[in-house]
Amino acid sequence: MKKIRLLILPFLLASFVIYLSINDQLWLIFWKTLNIPAVIPPFSDLDSIAKTLLSKNLGFNVYLENPHDPTHGVYMYPSLWLSIFDLLNLYNLTYFKIFNFIIILIYFIVIQDIYLRNSQNISKFILIIFFFSTTNFLILERLNIEIIIFSLVYFAVISRNYILKSLLFLIALAGKVFPIFSIFLFIANKRFFYLISSLSILYLFIIKEEIYFMSINMIEYARIFAYGSGSISKAIYYYSREYNLFINDENYIYLKSIIIFSLSVIAIILLKINFKFGEKTLEKNIILDDSLFLAGGGIYLGTFIFSANVDYRLVFLLLTFSFILKINNYLIKNIYITSCLIIFNSFIFEGGDPYSIKYFIKAGFIYSLKFIVFVVICYFFGVILNRYFKIQLKNNQI
């Protein structure tokens, strides 16, 4: 009976969102009041996959041409989703709405579970702020695949069964490549860690052609509501083009490579501060807070270093707070929490001439906070890895 009661609130919230999506005008009005630029049709990111399926069925290579989805352009997801949509007949509006409802219901169940697992008032406050943030509203309005991946990664982390944990992780990886950065959630069980790492690399090799097309089709948003090396380098490129500086189409790739390399070096240096090489006593069983941090923090670090990301991917930062709230350094803790609460609402700062001084200051402020979050996660990532992983350089053993 208690489990049924726990479903009531997620069910009502999911039903409300689906109800809004039935009426286009109501959909636009509701999200506009929340300062979110709504798109028709509702759940446009998932809807684009259904439209892409139509293009595929007509014989188009959707990574190159996608005439049935001119708004979103060429396809940017693994082809697995087209097979799922085809299998479940999700181009049918009724089936599509049912699918939407199930996804949103599971997502709200996950958010509620995170809320209930944390007894601290500050943790509950953070979850409430996130729930009413522009990041969460964007997730729900667009219904990007991110919402599915987040739920899969969360269930993978909290599962105590390593077979189920592995299955959920591999499904998340198949759905979107970036969950590879959460592989360290297996770090306490070396057998599964190496097995899942090997299977992940094998899968990525198999779909290497799709990964290539996804990478070149990826939109590098250079806006306040984005983060990562791709967004930073593209923003510099746009400013350089506007003011006739030295970055152009010919040397842009070098700028991007330098930024990726610089972020990688910074991450390694910060990780090394707390990771000790050589013989040491390791913890045998990983605690949930550490596992959550490695999964959510790993995804943030990996996507920050190697790609451009819209801020609805910040949802993975929710997995880091149970660890952060237990650290003894109150200054770092408060800076991290404050930074996250602000960047969760980055869309509030969006707007205006992107080449104006005002926009530059706003963007600089938000991007600085996102970099601070990056630095803090790198630092404590080393702390946690040091508990469960060792590298013996002398004997060349890991």
Side-chain angles (χ1 to χ4, degrees):
M1 183 61 69
K2 182 180 179 182
K3 291 183 178 180
I4 295 177
R5 288 201 301 269
L6 290 175
L7 291 175
I8 294 176
L9 182 58
F11 181 87
L12 292 175
L13 291 172
S15 299
F16 175 70
V17 177
I18 295 298
Y19 170 75
L20 290 173
S21 71
I22 296 174
N23 186 306
D24 288 352
Q25 186 175 4
L26 185 62
W27 181 260
L28 293 173
I29 293 173
F30 177 79
W31 293 113
K32 184 178 180 180
T33 60
L34 299 176
N35 200 35
I36 300 298
V39 177
I40 297 298
F43 311 129
S44 59
D45 284 357
L46 276 190
D47 178 78
S48 72
I49 300 178
K51 291 177 178 176
T52 301
L53 181 59
L54 296 176
S55 297
K56 178 189 175 184
N57 290 340
L58 289 175
F60 290 96
N61 181 342
V62 293
Y63 288 110
L64 299 175
E65 297 178 274
N66 191 9
H68 278 276
D69 189 22
T71 302
H72 287 79
V74 288
Y75 192 58
M76 294 182 290
Y77 303 119
S79 60
L80 172 67
W81 290 107
L82 295 175
S83 299
I84 292 174
F85 270 57
D86 194 20
L87 177 66
L88 300 179
N89 296 323
L90 296 183
Y91 42 78
N92 179 290
L93 183 59
T94 300
Y95 294 154
F96 182 66
K97 292 296 184 184
I98 293 173
F99 186 65
N100 298 156
F101 174 79
I102 293 172
I103 291 173
I104 297 170
L105 175 64
I106 294 174
Y107 174 66
F108 282 139
I109 289 173
V110 170
I111 298 298
Q112 178 179 262
D113 191 63
I114 297 174
Y115 181 89
L116 295 176
R117 282 178 181 269
N118 293 276
S119 58
Q120 297 185 58
N121 290 331
I122 182 62
S123 179
K124 295 182 183 299
F125 172 75
I126 292 170
L127 261 295
I128 292 172
I129 294 298
F130 172 81
F131 186 83
F132 291 100
S133 70
T134 56
T135 293
N136 187 46
F137 292 153
L138 277 173
I139 290 172
L140 294 170
E141 196 280 327
R142 298 291 193 271
L143 210 60
N144 191 274
I145 286 175
E146 235 78 2
I147 195 173
I148 302 175
I149 305 303
F150 172 71
S151 299
L152 286 169
V153 170
Y154 179 74
F155 287 128
V157 174
I158 66 173
S159 174
R160 297 180 180 179
N161 184 308
Y162 267 89
I163 300 297
L164 179 59
K165 185 189 293 286
S166 302
L167 180 61
L168 291 169
F169 171 82
L170 290 173
I171 293 173
L173 178 66
K176 209 94 181 268
V177 174
F178 70 79
I180 187 65
F181 299 121
S182 64
I183 188 69
F184 288 103
L185 67 92
F186 294 97
I187 196 65
N189 189 316
K190 301 301 183 293
R191 181 164 60 93
F192 272 92
F193 176 71
Y194 292 123
L195 174 62
I196 300 304
S197 296
S198 299
L199 291 175
S200 299
I201 293 172
L202 176 61
Y203 171 74
L204 295 180
F205 177 78
I206 292 173
I207 67 163
K208 61 182 184 299
E209 185 176 351
E210 291 186 13
I211 293 175
Y212 168 75
F213 281 117
M214 287 187 287
S215 64
I216 63 175
N217 291 344
M218 179 179 63
I219 301 174
E220 294 178 326
Y221 288 100
R223 308 291 293 191
I224 292 174
F225 58 83
Y227 74 90
S229 60
S231 296
I232 296 171
S233 57
K234 188 62 76 173
I236 295 174
Y237 163 80
Y238 284 139
Y239 272 103
S240 178
R241 190 178 65 177
E242 177 70 12
Y243 296 108
N244 296 317
L245 302 178
F246 58 93
I247 302 299
N248 52 44
D249 291 331
E250 285 71 32
N251 57 28
Y252 169 71
I253 186 62
Y254 298 108
L255 169 67
K256 185 177 178 180
S257 299
I258 290 172
I259 292 176
I260 291 175
F261 176 77
S262 300
L263 290 172
S264 299
V265 170
I266 292 171
I268 292 172
I269 291 173
L270 291 170
L271 284 168
K272 178 59 181 66
I273 292 175
N274 293 300
F275 187 86
K276 309 303 178 185
F277 291 89
E279 190 62 38
K280 58 189 173 185
T281 302
L282 300 179
E283 299 286 344
K284 293 184 178 180
N285 297 310
I286 191 168
I287 62 175
L288 182 59
D289 293 344
D290 290 357
S291 188
L292 286 167
F293 187 89
L294 290 176
I299 286 175
Y300 184 78
L301 295 185
T303 55
F304 196 106
I305 293 172
F306 295 107
S307 66
N309 316 268
V310 177
D311 276 358
Y312 41 63
R313 195 167 287 175
L314 296 177
V315 65
F316 287 95
L317 291 178
L318 291 181
L319 306 184
T320 66
F321 287 110
S322 57
F323 172 86
I324 289 293
L325 290 173
K326 293 180 180 179
I327 66 176
N328 294 323
N329 191 313
Y330 291 100
L331 178 61
I332 294 179
K333 181 192 303 185
N334 291 331
I335 290 175
Y336 183 86
I337 292 173
T338 302
S339 298
C340 285
L341 294 182
I342 294 174
I343 64 177
F344 283 158
N345 290 283
S346 61
F347 208 88
I348 294 175
F349 296 85
E350 188 58 66
D353 180 4
Y355 298 107
S356 66
I357 295 298
K358 181 179 179 180
Y359 190 93
F360 181 83
I361 293 173
K362 291 191 298 180
F365 172 64
I366 297 298
Y367 272 64
S368 296
L369 296 181
K370 291 172 181 176
F371 182 72
I372 288 173
V373 171
F374 173 82
V375 168
V376 173
I377 292 177
C378 284
Y379 181 84
F380 287 107
F381 214 85
V383 171
I384 298 176
L385 283 185
N386 193 60
R387 296 174 184 169
Y388 306 100
F389 195 67
K390 65 180 178 182
I391 299 178
Q392 295 175 278
L393 296 178
K394 183 177 181 180
N395 298 320
N396 196 30
Q397 295 178 351
I398 296 179

